[in-house]
Amino acid sequence: MNVKIEASWKERLRKEFEKPYFENIVNHIKTEKLLKKIIYPAGVHIFNAFDTTPFDKIKALILGQDPYHQPAQAHGLCFSVQKGVPPPPSLVNIFKELKEDIGLTTPNHGDLTSWAQQGVFLLNASLTVRAGEPMSHSKIGWATFTDAVIKKISDEKEHIVFMLWGKFAQEKSIFINAEKHLVLKAAHPSPLSANNGFFGCKHFSKANEYLMNHGIAPIDWKI
């Protein structure tokens, strides 16, 4: 894989990259590409979350399930799409909650890179997906890798805000030490579930309140 990953992450994850399961991930993706399968995101974006948010800069973590599986959408940051690509329904609902929570005007694009640059680690549990086939890479080993990433953040840092939306994300709370971090849980922002507790969760203002209470600069959620 043609991957680009920031130095602090590369060093911390070196042992994971050397494990047999990670070699299996690489081989699986290489095999699918040989079979002319289209994989999202592009290779240079697979580790975009890691490359954009250095380990030492993390303030918050938002966890997605797997990348968008339609053309031009996925670029390695969960829920985010590049400028010029219409925001998918879950992202539209995130913007609705942002407006209701902290009064932000709905942006004219869906690129969340500015969040990542401020320390919001936008992690998908699976870092790749086959075109048109959601969750198609969920069983190839990515969960082992991203579970280790979540645990490493929990173990080695403190006062991180973990924003876990939906049952899938909330199951990852077993890797998080809630005594030294803030764990926020709500329904997934998907149109199928947003009315069941995502709308009104006020996670964005709660995250900033927690950060400021611990002497950490808040996130500017405007994009």
Side-chain angles (χ1 to χ4, degrees), residues 8-82:
S8 69
W9 276 115
K10 187 179 291 185
E11 183 58 36
R12 279 181 172 83
L13 297 174
R14 188 178 304 280
K15 289 183 179 178
E16 295 301 316
F17 292 142
E18 293 172 352
K19 290 179 180 179
Y21 83 84
F22 198 86
E23 184 179 355
N24 290 340
I25 294 173
V26 174
N27 289 336
H28 187 100
I29 293 171
K30 284 181 177 177
T31 298
E32 290 202 351
K33 287 189 172 182
L34 286 173
L35 295 172
K36 305 300 182 183
K37 302 289 186 181
I38 298 172
I39 308 296
Y40 296 133
V44 293
H45 286 149
I46 290 174
F47 285 90
N48 193 16
F50 298 83
D51 201 46
T52 309
T53 310
F55 187 86
D56 295 335
K57 301 292 186 182
I58 297 172
K59 297 178 180 180
L61 184 152
I62 297 176
L63 183 65
Q65 220 165 336
D66 70 334
Y68 295 125
H69 56 272
Q70 297 300 326
Q73 290 184 319
H75 67 126
L77 304 177
C78 76
F79 294 106
S80 179
V81 291
Q82 295 182 86

Side-chain angles (χ1 to χ4, degrees), residues 79-212:
F79 294 106
S80 179
V81 291
Q82 295 182 86
K83 289 176 181 173
V85 178
S90 291
L91 184 54
V92 169
N93 285 340
I94 289 170
F95 291 151
K96 287 179 180 177
E97 176 59 21
L98 270 166
K99 185 175 183 179
E100 182 65 28
D101 184 9
I102 56 178
L104 281 188
T105 303
T106 302
N108 60 7
H109 66 89
D111 188 342
L112 305 181
T113 298
S114 65
W115 291 5
Q117 291 170 337
Q118 294 179 74
V120 183
F121 189 47
L122 298 172
L123 179 67
N124 276 314
S126 295
L127 299 191
T128 58
V129 68
R130 276 196 306 273
E133 298 181 50
M135 302 300 291
S136 50
H137 283 179
S138 63
K139 306 294 188 186
I140 71 171
W142 280 127
T144 303
F145 177 73
T146 52
D147 287 353
V149 168
I150 294 167
K151 188 173 188 305
K152 185 171 285 289
I153 294 170
S154 176
D155 290 350
E156 297 185 19
K157 298 185 73 67
E158 59 182 18
H159 307 319
I160 303 299
V161 181
F162 290 85
M163 302 163 81
L164 306 180
W165 299 334
K167 182 175 181 291
F168 174 87
Q170 290 167 21
E171 289 173 349
K172 304 298 184 178
S173 63
I174 61 172
F175 303 112
I176 303 166
N177 181 349
E179 293 184 2
K180 63 172 183 168
H181 303 291
L182 177 63
V183 180
L184 298 174
K185 297 180 180 180
H188 194 278
S190 161
L192 299 175
S193 55
N195 286 314
N196 296 328
F198 179 75
F199 290 139
C201 71
K202 298 188 181 300
H203 279 189
F204 304 100
S205 58
K206 288 176 180 177
N208 276 349
E209 181 182 13
Y210 177 83
L211 292 172
M212 289 188 290

